[in-house]
Amino acid sequence: MAGKKATMEVKNVKFAKDGTVPVIVQDYESGEVLMLAYANQEALTATLESGYAHYYCRTKKEVYKFGEEWGNTQKLRAAFAEDGGACILFKVDQRFKADPEKETFTKFSEQFVGEYNNIGSEMFGRLQRIIADVKKNPENGAYTSFLFVRGVDRIGKKVGEEAVELVIAAKNDDKKIVVSEAADLLYHVMVLLNAKGVKISEVCEELCKRNR
């Protein structure tokens, strides 16, 4: 599945009367919405030329590179325009946090209605971050830390064991056991991917190539 050819140019963006356009920022790996910002023509151009997100601060009335003060940069992976160009979507690889004060990965961290468990692609992105953090900051007694200490051979063995257990569970009628074994397998696969320096997005890209 080939990527779409760019059809939008900065000159065609519909900036508001104050010269800005809203920018929705989304994590490239997980799909989580990170923040809502604004860009003017200068900021949008700087983003496309440098490959790193730049925004326009409507309070200070100045263009800034996101995270320059604290190192939480957002590397641009793709940019899209809403039909008509009245809103922009950035898909980025974000380093560290979107909100350094609250130390949250996304600025949309305060939920006020409904129940949401990050089911779907966001969950894998979050799991990937959690596993990476445990690897970087080992915890005494933590199972994931234990796996990393034992290395790829041990992790690979667990992947094999969980795969067999899933196949055995699938031969029976208990859906809950299938769900449980599938979760075990996916978790261990995610640990193995991290141990080999592979991101879930790379696996997804490979799957897209096969979707023909």
Side-chain angles (χ1 to χ4, degrees), residues 123-183:
M123 183 208 66
F124 285 102
R126 292 190 68 193
L127 178 58
Q128 180 172 259
R129 288 200 305 278
I130 291 170
I131 290 172
D133 185 61
V134 172
K135 184 180 180 181
K136 188 181 295 184
N137 306 290
E139 297 176 16
N140 242 347
Y143 179 61
T144 307
S145 295
F146 164 78
L147 288 175
F148 280 125
V149 170
R150 287 300 187 93
V152 172
D153 286 345
R154 176 61 176 172
I155 300 169
K157 182 180 178 182
K158 285 300 297 180
V159 169
E161 291 173 356
E162 298 301 343
V164 171
E165 290 178 13
L166 175 59
V167 172
I168 294 173
K171 296 175 70 67
N172 299 308
D173 295 325
D174 194 330
K175 182 180 177 180
K176 288 184 178 179
I177 295 179
V178 174
V179 170
S180 178
E181 295 299 343

Side-chain angles (χ1 to χ4, degrees), residues 10-194:
V10 174
K11 65 181 182 181
N12 295 326
V13 173
K14 290 186 178 178
F15 295 100
K17 291 182 179 179
D18 65 354
T20 67
V21 62
V23 182
I24 299 168
V25 188
Q26 185 180 34
D27 182 64
Y28 178 78
E29 289 283 339
S30 68
E32 291 171 277
V33 177
L34 303 176
M35 56 188 279
L36 171 66
Y38 290 86
N40 59 6
Q41 187 169 342
E42 180 186 348
L44 193 53
T45 300
T47 298
L48 299 180
E49 290 181 349
S50 69
Y52 286 88
H54 287 68
Y55 303 110
Y56 178 75
C57 178
R58 297 186 297 174
T59 303
K60 297 181 179 179
K61 300 187 183 304
E62 63 182 23
V63 172
Y64 66 96
K65 179 181 179 182
F66 178 81
E68 193 166 31
E69 295 178 5
W70 55 86
N72 293 13
T73 54
Q74 293 176 342
K75 184 174 178 59
L76 186 70
R77 293 296 297 266
F80 299 85
E82 181 188 39
D83 187 27
C87 184
I88 303 296
L89 170 67
F90 283 174
K91 288 183 179 288
V92 302
D93 278 331
Q94 179 173 274
R95 186 182 181 191
F96 306 128
K97 314 292 184 180
D99 192 332
E101 293 181 2
K102 294 183 179 179
E103 295 191 344
T104 56
F105 188 71
T106 168
K107 289 193 175 183
F108 291 95
S109 59
E110 297 183 17
Q111 186 170 334
F112 61 87
V113 68
E115 294 184 7
Y116 182 60
N117 297 314
N118 298 100
I119 292 175
S121 62
E122 288 189 19
M123 183 208 66
F124 285 102
R126 292 190 68 193
L127 178 58
Q128 180 172 259
R129 288 200 305 278
I130 291 170
I131 290 172
D133 185 61
V134 172
K135 184 180 180 181
K136 188 181 295 184
N137 306 290
E139 297 176 16
N140 242 347
Y143 179 61
T144 307
S145 295
F146 164 78
L147 288 175
F148 280 125
V149 170
R150 287 300 187 93
V152 172
D153 286 345
R154 176 61 176 172
I155 300 169
K157 182 180 178 182
K158 285 300 297 180
V159 169
E161 291 173 356
E162 298 301 343
V164 171
E165 290 178 13
L166 175 59
V167 172
I168 294 173
K171 296 175 70 67
N172 299 308
D173 295 325
D174 194 330
K175 182 180 177 180
K176 288 184 178 179
I177 295 179
V178 174
V179 170
S180 178
E181 295 299 343
D184 287 344
L185 175 59
L186 289 171
Y187 159 76
H188 285 91
V189 167
M190 291 292 290
V191 175
L192 182 61
L193 291 178
N194 183 281

